[in-house]
Amino acid sequence: VGNARGACTVSQDLLKQAIALVNAPGTPDFAAVQEFQQRTCELQMVNLIQLPVEELRCFFINIFNVLVLQARITSKAPVSDAHIVPRCSFFRNTSYQVGKYFYSLDDVCRGILRAKKCIFLQCDARVHFALSYGTPATPPPRVFTPENLERELEAATRKFCSERVRVDMAQGEVTLPVIFDWYRKDFSSSPVGLLNWVAPRLPTSLANQLSQLSQRKEIKITFE
């Protein structure tokens, strides 16, 4: 058995292996999938007690993505955004045992990373651009590291928003990724506040347009 490895190291290695399996051409090799599933058992040896906050956040981001990828590999994950809504049955019923406790996708996303049930973590809305549901409306999975988590979260947020946000000055309309609608309260309680959250994370020209639009009395915001 030996000594258990660090939580973040385990999560990073599992996520790298899961990404490789999903991206492999053709049907995943049965032996490789079996080996991967066996390696996830190492999570039962992970110790999260006294883990620094950034390491804890990093661990759960990576493990969320591992769990979604494993469900995809075993054909248990929804592939349509129409079936991915907060707290749906897939989120509640898909889980890992970490140490002595079981954590579902809902526990990780809502309870821990969104700080609904975890008093020592604050909700960082950028986490929504780090979590992949395996559907077009969410970003592809990537490996996060505790030592660079701040920079990596900001980079992931900027990349996703830059690719998905559209501004139509003539129509006075802003199109935002549907993630902003799903988790609106994590970003801002008002439409202007939502635009102010997005603007600094956009390319300069797009940010300027958004800033001008936010000064108007009427702004139409759509989500897709």
Side-chain angles (χ1 to χ4, degrees):
V1 177
N3 295 325
R5 296 192 298 158
C8 283
T9 300
V10 173
S11 72
Q12 289 165 346
D13 287 351
L14 287 175
L15 185 50
K16 289 174 185 176
Q17 188 174 4
I19 291 172
L21 282 172
V22 167
N23 291 338
T27 305
D29 177 70
F30 177 77
V33 172
Q34 208 169 31
E35 181 203 355
F36 167 71
Q37 290 179 317
Q38 184 64 34
R39 288 191 62 186
T40 63
C41 294
E42 188 178 2
L43 290 169
Q44 297 174 29
M45 300 173 59
V46 162
N47 184 6
L48 300 181
I49 296 175
Q50 295 184 335
L51 207 64
V53 168
E54 289 305 282
E55 289 189 33
L56 197 65
R57 185 178 278 115
C58 180
F59 170 80
F60 278 113
I61 289 172
N62 286 336
I63 286 305
F64 180 98
N65 290 333
V66 173
L67 190 48
V68 171
L69 287 175
Q70 182 169 355
R72 283 184 60 191
I73 293 166
T74 56
S75 302
K76 296 178 182 178
V79 295
S80 168
D81 288 309
H83 298 97
I84 293 290
V85 294
R87 299 185 62 76
C88 74
S89 60
F90 173 65
F91 271 50
R92 294 194 302 269
N93 299 329
T94 306
S95 64
Y96 273 145
Q97 182 179 349
V98 179
K100 297 179 181 179
Y101 303 100
F102 284 88
Y103 296 89
S104 69
L105 289 171
D106 189 66
D107 291 330
V108 174
C109 178
R110 182 176 180 274
I112 297 172
L113 295 175
R114 296 181 66 211
K116 302 301 182 182
K117 298 178 181 178
C118 187
I119 61 173
F120 52 87
L121 279 183
Q122 293 183 333
C123 178
D124 183 337
R126 296 175 302 173
V127 76
H128 295 301
F129 307 101
L131 302 179
S132 176
Y133 300 171
T135 64
T138 60
R142 56 175 287 183
V143 178
F144 287 84
T145 62
E147 60 270 18
N148 296 309
L149 187 58
E150 170 65 27
R151 180 177 58 81
E152 291 167 351
L153 281 175
E154 188 64 23
T157 301
R158 288 175 178 271
K159 183 177 189 302
F160 193 81
C161 291
S162 296
E163 293 173 350
R164 305 292 184 102
V165 174
R166 299 197 306 274
V167 178
D168 187 330
M169 294 296 290
Q171 298 296 322
E173 182 176 352
V174 180
T175 302
L176 299 177
V178 71
I179 288 175
F180 285 98
D181 190 32
W182 288 348
Y183 303 107
R184 192 179 304 202
K185 290 182 179 179
D186 291 351
F187 297 98
S188 177
S189 58
S190 70
V192 171
L194 194 59
L195 298 184
N196 289 339
W197 193 97
V198 177
R201 295 171 170 94
L202 296 175
T204 304
S205 58
L206 199 57
N208 289 339
Q209 288 183 332
L210 203 60
S211 178
Q212 293 174 32
L213 207 58
S214 66
Q215 305 302 317
R216 298 185 184 181
K217 291 184 179 180
E218 293 187 7
I219 312 166
K220 183 179 180 182
I221 301 178
T222 59
F223 303 94
E224 66 175 33

